[in-house]
Amino acid sequence: MNVVFLGLGGNLGDRLLNLETVTGLISRDCGEILNRSLVYETDAWGSKSNNKYLNMVLKLQTKHSAQNLIKILNSIEESVGRKRSADRNSDRITDIDILFFNHE
């Protein structure tokens, strides 16, 4: 089994509901959530957005490889309405980042 830390965030829509929805989908599709951080509100940086982010971190145990996990996470983002743009720092409903995969 692999231990993974995921960063979740978003600054559009019902931000808390979006985090809860994504957390449920990760639990269903990716593996067992071992721990979760508190939810933090942060200013957007790297963009001109005035929308504040809600962010949290999950510790996950998964059988998936890093390559397979990122595909599943991208699919989860799309399923809740994430629209990717050329601007990496654009507003978004959700964003899921792999922070650590085992010790990588």
Side-chain angles (χ1 to χ4, degrees):
M1 288 296 228
N2 300 300
V3 176
V4 181
F5 286 86
L6 302 175
L8 282 61
N11 69 340
L12 293 177
D14 186 333
R15 300 169 301 157
L16 188 56
L17 177 61
N18 293 339
L19 285 176
E20 292 169 358
T21 299
V22 167
T23 298
L25 293 170
I26 289 169
S27 178
R28 183 191 76 190
D29 297 344
C30 300
E32 179 185 358
I33 295 173
L34 302 174
N35 208 343
R36 64 183 73 211
S37 73
L38 297 174
V39 175
Y40 295 92
E41 186 173 56
T42 60
D43 290 327
W45 59 275
S47 75
K48 296 177 182 174
S49 178
N50 292 319
N51 298 323
K52 292 184 180 273
Y53 280 83
L54 286 187
N55 298 285
M56 68 183 298
V57 174
L58 299 178
K59 181 179 182 183
L60 177 74
Q61 183 173 298
T62 185
K63 64 181 180 181
H64 297 289
S65 67
Q67 294 81 9
N68 194 39
L69 182 62
I70 195 69
K71 289 177 186 175
I72 296 167
L73 295 174
N74 286 337
S75 177
I76 289 172
E77 287 179 340
E78 290 174 17
S79 76
V80 297
R82 168 85 190 258
K83 304 284 189 240
R84 295 195 181 271
S85 73
D87 179 4
R88 290 190 54 202
N89 296 316
S90 64
D91 293 331
R92 73 254 345 243
I93 289 174
T94 191
D95 183 46
I96 309 169
D97 296 317
I98 297 175
L99 304 176
F100 294 100
F101 192 92
N102 294 321
H103 296 288
E104 300 173 29

